[in-house]
Amino acid sequence: HCLPPSSQIYPIHLPRETRTRRALLICNIEFEHLSRRDGAEVDVEGMTKLLEGLGYVVEVHRNLTSQGMATVMTDFADRKEHWASDSTFLVFMSHGVRAGLCGTKSRDETTDILSLDTIYKKFDNKHCQALLGKPKVVIIQSCRGGKVGSVILSDSADPVTPTPSSAHTIPAGLEDDAVFEVHLESDFATLHSSTPDTVSWRRSVTGSIFIQCLIEQFRNHACNSDLQEIFRKVQYSFGNFPRQLPSQERTTMLRKFYLFPGH
């Protein structure tokens, strides 16, 4: 039994005037022990402008520890505006290792690291019910380990290749809220700037190559393409840059998400 096409698209019920779309952007630039992420401010400006153009009020935080990032996410997940929203964007930019994102006090693979699992837990259907059934778009600009180049700056915290993390098993639990059951984790779409164990590239003047490409593809195609098609276009645009390939991960979208449906 096939669902009708209309039910396979995320509904955007509210008129633009009463919709309260919110987006969260966390960017770590200055670190106590790691190199400064020159060019990152360009990424912040570009993403903020893009998201505002898509109708989101953007909450920006800079230079947080892993605990600070977790606290900010908890506060953001509790925002009452999500009830009158249809979606959210969660954007993270920092140095990174295989296991997650570096906080400002990070020294190596294991100190002050925000596990990526934390992001999904803070916004899953148990912890953020205001966004139940609504697209949660996660954008991550960071290295994920390994091979450091020398031509342009890298977002790697540590040039040593880390051991793969075993912490990426997704919970298969269902939550019963006495009325109906829902998947614990659904409606996420994630685009990471690189594949596991590889570096992401950033220019000190113009910012991260991934963020630049993402902004360009959204500007050109958000009017008529669904989100995952835009993600694919971003990935395709790296065809002539073999050192890095953005990766769609932990994507649990049940429908297509059009930012401008009906166009």
Side-chain angles (χ1 to χ4, degrees):
H1 173 67
C2 287
L3 292 166
S6 60
S7 69
Q8 295 183 36
I9 295 171
Y10 282 101
I12 294 180
H13 295 306
L14 299 159
R16 201 176 172 126
E17 306 75 58
T18 53
R19 216 167 45 204
T20 52
R21 281 181 170 174
R22 291 289 182 272
L24 176 66
L25 193 160
I26 296 175
C27 182
N28 287 343
I29 302 174
E30 308 272 358
F31 298 81
E32 289 184 17
H33 309 286
L34 308 175
S35 61
R36 188 176 193 279
R37 295 184 58 248
D38 292 318
E41 200 55 58
V42 180
D43 294 340
V44 173
E45 286 170 29
M47 279 306 295
T48 302
K49 207 168 164 185
L50 174 72
L51 291 169
E52 286 175 349
L54 295 172
Y56 294 85
V57 174
V58 186
E59 185 179 308
V60 180
H61 296 268
R62 293 176 180 80
N63 302 329
L64 300 174
T65 62
S66 56
Q67 181 55 56
M69 289 190 270
T71 301
V72 159
M73 281 192 280
T74 300
D75 293 344
F76 184 75
D78 287 342
R79 286 197 166 281
K80 63 183 186 305
E81 289 92 345
H82 294 313
W83 291 102
S85 177
D86 51 35
S87 55
T88 191
F89 274 74
L90 309 165
V91 183
F92 301 87
M93 308 174 183
S94 187
H95 285 306
V97 295
R98 182 67 159 82
L101 296 162
C102 295
T104 50
K105 294 182 184 296
S106 178
R107 294 171 180 269
D108 54 33
E109 296 285 306
T110 55
T111 56
D112 199 22
I113 302 296
L114 178 80
S115 164
L116 298 185
D117 289 343
T118 305
I119 299 170
Y120 299 96
K121 186 169 182 183
K122 296 281 185 191
F123 293 94
D124 70 16
N125 293 326
K126 178 179 180 181
H127 296 93
C128 186
Q129 292 184 5
L131 288 170
L132 174 68
K134 301 172 183 179
K136 293 163 277 279
V137 184
V138 181
I139 307 288
I140 302 172
Q141 162 62 42
S142 77
C143 277
R144 310 177 74 175
K147 302 138 194 171
V148 177
S150 55
V151 188
I152 31 187
L153 303 172
S154 113
D155 265 351
S156 179
D158 185 357
V160 181
T161 305
T163 53
S165 159
S166 60
H168 286 284
T169 49
I170 297 172
L174 288 175
E175 130 145 326
D176 181 357
D177 85 0
V179 182
F180 64 102
E181 288 188 331
V182 296
H183 293 101
L184 181 57
E185 182 178 304
S186 64
D187 311 295
F188 282 96
T190 309
L191 191 61
H192 207 300
S193 58
S194 58
T195 50
D197 296 320
T198 63
V199 300
S200 296
W201 298 92
R202 173 172 38 82
R203 294 191 177 98
S204 58
V205 178
T206 54
S208 306
I209 296 170
F210 167 69
I211 296 293
Q212 278 183 297
C213 287
L214 187 108
I215 290 170
E216 183 184 352
Q217 295 300 328
F218 267 88
R219 287 215 171 113
N220 290 341
H221 301 291
C223 58
N224 57 15
S225 297
D226 73 275
L227 181 82
Q228 284 172 272
E229 177 62 15
I230 298 171
F231 279 3
R232 191 193 61 75
K233 290 176 190 294
V234 174
Q235 292 175 292
Y236 184 78
S237 71
F238 274 76
N240 56 2
F241 189 73
R243 294 186 231 177
Q244 180 179 340
L245 181 63
S247 171
Q248 291 192 53
E249 290 174 27
R250 204 152 168 171
T251 292
T252 51
M253 297 288 268
L254 304 179
R255 310 176 185 202
K256 291 185 175 183
F257 177 34
Y258 287 93
L259 285 146
F260 299 103
H263 283 257

